[in-house]
Amino acid sequence: MFGERVAHGLLVLSIASGLAVRMGFMEGTVQAFMQLEWQFRRPVLIGDTVRLRATVRGKKPMRRMGGGVVTFRMEVLNQKDEVCQRGNWEILCKNRPDEADAAD
C-alpha cells in the first residue's frame, strides 16, 4: 500500500510512550493512564527517526486522588517534522509533595 515496509502503528505509539517517560515529566508522577485518543496520520517508514512533542492542554485537580488529571497533546514527528501520529492522553498525576502537604 505504501510502496515499502512501514513500522506498525501501535509499535510507534509504544515508542511514543517510552519517549514520554524519557522526557522526564512522567516518571514518578503518573498514577494511572486514564484515556487515549489517537490518530494515525501518515506511515512511519523503516529507518525513519521519530521524536515526541508534548504540550499540556489542560489540568483538573482531583484532591481526593492525591493529584489531578493532566491532558497532554502528543505528536509523533518524523525527521522531516511531519506529524505521523497525534492525539490526547489523559493521565492521573500525583501532586508535588509540597502541594499534598498544603491540602492536609
Side-chain angles (χ1 to χ4, degrees):
M1 178 173 176
F2 299 108
E4 57 188 298
R5 292 177 56 202
V6 299
H8 192 285
L10 292 177
L11 171 64
V12 178
L13 175 57
S14 174
I15 291 168
S17 80
L19 289 171
V21 170
R22 299 278 312 259
M23 291 171 87
F25 65 89
M26 294 182 78
E27 191 162 350
T29 61
V30 173
Q31 293 180 305
F33 207 106
M34 305 291 288
Q35 184 172 322
L36 171 73
E37 172 193 319
W38 203 244
Q39 297 175 333
F40 302 90
R41 305 294 296 173
R42 68 177 59 240
V44 174
L45 305 175
I46 302 298
D48 277 358
T49 299
V50 295
R51 65 185 177 89
L52 181 68
R53 180 169 44 208
T55 308
V56 175
R57 295 293 298 249
K59 54 186 181 174
K60 178 182 171 187
M62 296 188 73
R63 300 208 191 290
R64 64 181 171 75
M65 302 292 285
V69 175
V70 180
T71 302
F72 292 94
R73 178 63 168 182
M74 300 293 207
E75 296 176 303
V76 175
L77 298 102
N78 63 16
Q79 68 277 6
K80 298 175 187 173
D81 284 332
E82 299 168 325
V83 175
C84 299
Q85 297 183 10
R86 68 179 180 202
N88 297 315
W89 297 1
E90 285 188 10
I91 299 170
L92 178 62
C93 295
K94 295 179 190 176
N95 278 338
R96 291 186 187 130
D98 58 334
E99 291 177 359
D101 294 341
D104 292 339

